[in-house]
Amino acid sequence: MSCGTKEALVFSLGLITGTGTTLTGKILYGVDSIGLDGEVKKFEKPIFQTWLMFLAMIFALPIHWAYRYHVERKWRRNKRNIKYRYHIPRKTYFLLALPAAFDLLATFVANLGLLYVTVSVFQLMKCTVIVFVALLKVFVLKDRLRSYMWIGIGFNMVAALMVGATSLADSGAQGNNAEDQHPAFGVMMVVLSCAIQSVQYVFEEKLMDEGDSAPPLVVVGMEGVWGLILTTFVIYPIAYLVPGNDLGSNERLDDACEMLMNSGLAQAIVLIYLLVILGYNVFAVSVTYLLNSIWHAILDNFRPITVWGADLMLFYLFTQGQFGERWTIWSWLQLAGMITLLAGTAVYNGTLRLPGFVYLEPLEPALASIRTPEALTASTFSRSPLITRNAMKAAEIARRTPNANDRDRVRREFMTEYQPLADADTRRRIDPAGHTYGSLEA
């Protein structure tokens, strides 16, 4: 599939915002502000960052509604004799509370780990989610992995050990970390968050049938709604009652708000944080919509590179060492770990072919660089099945479309606007081939 100006712009914005999500979260931890006790302290509030993430995700809903309004206007302008029908079952909105609970726990644990490690280590260790999901797909969902996929998983595990060892050996690599912080704990928390995310993936795959799928921005927005509710009314009250170092509690929302009010820098970073999280969710969906899964895989693989590069520039060029991370002798080992990780992902996806193994050729020429079945690709494992399901079904519908020139249009329409129509005659009038999608073309 060709990549034009619009596609390249969306991909670039996805890469920039994806890099910004990790960087701004880490920078916020290093900001000094005055809390309720009148003392200057670091803005080390992992639950508050999780709360902010869900708040940003909510704004995906108005974007979806605006897009839906645009589609309905286009439908009416084409003077259709068939009424445009678009309905998401009410139960879907409530079912999305379940993945939101998993996402809440995984994000909090990951943000806790980010307190103790550099953003480059954090981003690289997050890639271990591929290992956990692949193992659970095999042992719980009973999927089969080919031999070369296991080799790719082995590469990724070795890469994780190399990156983790880097963090342990060079605990002083980031100047704004406190002396009493322990990078081993941070690495453990990041890996634990990946394990939780993998359980979320399997839970959604196993317990939610195809009728529970929804447009990607609705999934993002509703997980934001439920996550914000759970964080505000469940997690924060528990954190208030649990003893800790935040005015006697584990973490207090009122103290976080006070610190935010007392620091203009914190306010600016929080605003950027909200924008990049929302932007990344929207642009990541748009990459899959405008292009295909291989471009989403490229986006995922580039993020560790851009995050590390941006963090180094932050340290040496923009903040004179106040934020970011320095290059040390152990950075070479981390670089080797990153290369091993990228190679392992390429081997797993079949992009990097090993001699002596049988590879499945993709059904779509556009996916020629990925020879692993799309349901088992690394880029699929990094996303929720609720988001990828429509994309995979859309690709299948597009493959069955007789006219090759219409396949890309069909795929895009199905991803965001597909809803089953009960009347079989109506379906045949829309599409003589019997496909259940609605064309927006005149």
Side-chain angles (χ1 to χ4, degrees):
M1 181 178 297
S2 61
C3 181
T5 303
K6 180 171 65 174
E7 289 82 0
L9 178 62
V10 169
F11 179 85
S12 300
L13 290 174
L15 191 59
I16 292 170
T17 53
T19 302
T21 55
T22 308
L23 282 177
T24 51
K26 183 64 175 181
I27 292 172
L28 185 59
Y29 282 149
V31 173
D32 293 319
S33 186
I34 300 175
L36 290 173
D37 55 359
E39 297 182 0
V40 177
K41 52 188 176 183
K42 298 290 185 183
F43 208 119
E44 296 178 344
K45 306 281 187 179
I47 299 179
F48 186 66
Q49 281 205 20
T50 306
W51 188 88
L52 289 174
M53 181 197 75
F54 287 124
L55 177 63
M57 290 169 64
I58 290 176
F59 291 97
L61 288 175
I63 294 175
H64 168 77
W65 292 330
Y67 177 76
R68 175 184 170 183
Y69 175 75
H70 165 73
V71 170
E72 289 180 345
R73 286 191 61 191
K74 189 173 182 179
W75 183 274
R76 289 193 296 268
R77 190 165 58 247
N78 289 337
K79 298 180 180 179
R80 295 283 179 183
N81 294 323
I82 304 169
K83 183 179 179 181
Y84 179 83
R85 298 181 61 182
Y86 185 90
H87 175 68
I88 299 173
R90 185 175 299 175
K91 71 168 186 175
T92 301
Y93 292 104
F94 291 95
L95 282 173
L96 290 173
L98 299 174
F102 279 104
D103 202 12
L104 167 60
L105 182 58
T107 304
F108 166 69
V109 173
N111 286 338
L112 185 61
L114 184 58
L115 270 170
Y116 302 98
V117 298
T118 60
V119 292
S120 59
V121 170
F122 173 84
Q123 193 65 54
L124 290 168
M125 294 302 296
K126 286 284 287 182
C127 295
T128 58
V129 69
I130 298 172
V131 177
F132 287 106
V133 177
L135 293 175
L136 288 177
K137 289 273 279 187
V138 171
F139 294 108
V140 177
L141 299 181
K142 306 304 180 182
D143 286 334
R144 293 185 60 185
L145 299 184
R146 290 183 169 267
S147 300
Y148 67 86
M149 298 182 193
W150 287 110
I151 294 177
I153 290 174
F155 270 88
N156 283 5
M157 293 178 68
V158 171
L161 291 174
M162 295 169 69
V163 174
T166 300
S167 185
L168 297 178
D170 194 18
S171 59
Q174 187 160 343
N176 63 327
N177 275 357
E179 293 181 357
D180 60 344
Q181 291 182 346
H182 306 289
F185 178 76
V187 171
M188 289 175 56
M189 290 298 100
V190 177
V191 173
L192 178 60
S193 74
C194 293
I196 296 170
Q197 281 186 319
S198 67
V199 174
Q200 173 188 349
Y201 185 104
V202 173
F203 173 83
E204 293 179 10
E205 183 83 4
K206 194 171 183 66
L207 297 185
M208 293 188 173
D209 58 34
E210 293 193 2
D212 299 323
S213 60
L217 291 180
V218 172
V219 174
V220 172
M222 286 308 302
E223 286 193 12
V225 170
W226 288 114
L228 193 69
I229 292 173
L230 291 172
T231 307
T232 304
F233 298 106
V234 177
I235 300 302
Y236 258 121
I238 294 174
Y240 180 83
L241 296 175
V242 174
N245 298 324
D246 194 359
L247 303 179
S249 300
N250 182 268
E251 185 173 325
R252 291 179 53 165
L253 179 59
D254 55 349
D255 188 59
C257 293
E258 180 69 17
M259 293 181 69
L260 185 62
M261 293 296 295
N262 291 332
S263 172
L265 178 59
Q267 293 170 18
I269 294 173
V270 164
L271 178 60
I272 296 173
Y273 186 68
L274 293 172
L275 291 175
V276 294
I277 286 180
L278 174 62
Y280 179 68
N281 279 291
V282 172
F283 292 129
V285 168
S286 300
V287 165
T288 306
Y289 172 76
L290 291 173
L291 297 163
N292 51 39
S293 61
I294 186 173
W295 286 97
H296 201 291
I298 294 172
L299 180 63
D300 290 338
N301 289 337
F302 260 89
R303 281 187 69 193
I305 301 173
T306 56
V307 165
W308 193 6
D311 209 32
L312 289 170
M313 289 191 294
L314 199 64
F315 184 89
Y316 287 105
L317 299 180
F318 300 115
T319 66
Q320 289 76 46
Q322 183 179 2
F323 298 105
E325 62 183 283
R326 65 172 64 91
W327 183 275
T328 69
I329 188 65
W330 293 103
S331 299
W332 294 104
L333 178 61
Q334 184 173 327
L335 178 62
M338 183 176 69
I339 295 173
T340 304
L341 176 69
L342 297 177
T345 303
V347 169
Y348 179 89
N349 285 336
T351 306
L352 180 61
R353 289 195 175 199
L354 301 177
F357 293 92
V358 177
Y359 291 84
L360 295 176
E361 293 300 328
L363 296 176
E364 285 187 275
L367 298 178
S369 297
I370 294 182
R371 292 175 172 82
T372 293
E374 191 173 1
L376 294 174
T377 59
S379 59
T380 298
F381 284 178
S382 66
R383 290 170 286 167
S384 163
L386 292 175
I387 293 180
T388 58
R389 183 177 291 144
N390 274 1
M392 294 174 64
K393 287 165 62 180
E396 177 61 28
I397 290 293
R399 280 194 289 267
R400 300 205 316 261
T401 301
N403 189 342
N405 295 327
D406 287 338
R407 288 172 185 168
D408 188 49
R409 173 182 58 79
V410 169
R411 181 185 66 84
R412 296 184 185 187
E413 291 175 10
F414 189 98
M415 281 181 61
T416 55
E417 298 306 322
Y418 166 77
Q419 286 297 327
L421 299 174
D423 185 359
D425 292 334
T426 300
R427 286 202 301 267
R428 283 193 290 272
R429 288 200 302 272
I430 292 177
D431 176 20
H435 304 152
T436 53
Y437 65 86
S439 173
L440 301 182
E441 302 296 328

